[in-house]
Amino acid sequence: YSYIWRLPELVSDALIAPGNRGADILWLRRQLSAIAGHEMGADIDLVDYDQPLGQLVMLFLDSNHLDADGYVGEQTLQHIMSQSPLADGPRLGRVD
């Protein structure tokens, strides 16, 4: 099969890493919160890749059997997009 994929609209770089700041981080925080079943208020403006976000990233990476290095690259973004209820697009899943 072929999987054609592109960066989410609000993400400007295919690598989100500790120390980053900006709209990418807010997008990531919202997606991971939605996947975990938590809602973030519309007024939340947490644009720094801080320790709490790092912990969310590590949990997500570990639970998806990805390298738990704290970095959000293309493969991780694909997993996020397929699991987030906020994201549009195709969903990846296992067939049992």
Side-chain angles (χ1 to χ4, degrees):
Y1 64 87
S2 294
Y3 180 70
I4 299 172
W5 178 82
R6 65 179 176 187
L7 284 175
E9 193 173 304
L10 297 176
V11 175
S12 62
D13 193 354
L15 181 65
I16 300 173
N20 284 25
R21 174 179 178 76
D24 295 0
I25 303 304
L26 182 57
W27 177 89
L28 177 61
R29 192 179 302 273
R30 288 186 190 282
Q31 301 305 314
L32 293 178
S33 293
I35 290 168
H38 306 311
E39 280 192 39
M40 287 180 53
D43 59 334
I44 298 294
D45 190 29
L46 300 170
V47 296
D48 292 312
Y49 190 125
D50 55 12
Q51 183 179 9
L53 179 59
Q55 290 172 342
L56 279 175
V57 168
M58 296 297 278
L59 286 170
F60 182 83
L61 292 169
D62 189 53
S63 68
N64 285 276
H65 309 287
L66 300 167
D67 290 335
D69 56 7
Y71 292 88
V72 177
E74 288 184 16
Q75 187 177 18
T76 306
L77 287 169
Q78 291 169 12
H79 278 268
I80 290 169
M81 293 296 294
S82 73
Q83 294 176 41
S84 174
L86 302 177
D88 293 329
R91 306 276 186 225
L92 297 177
R94 289 190 171 172
V95 177
D96 294 321

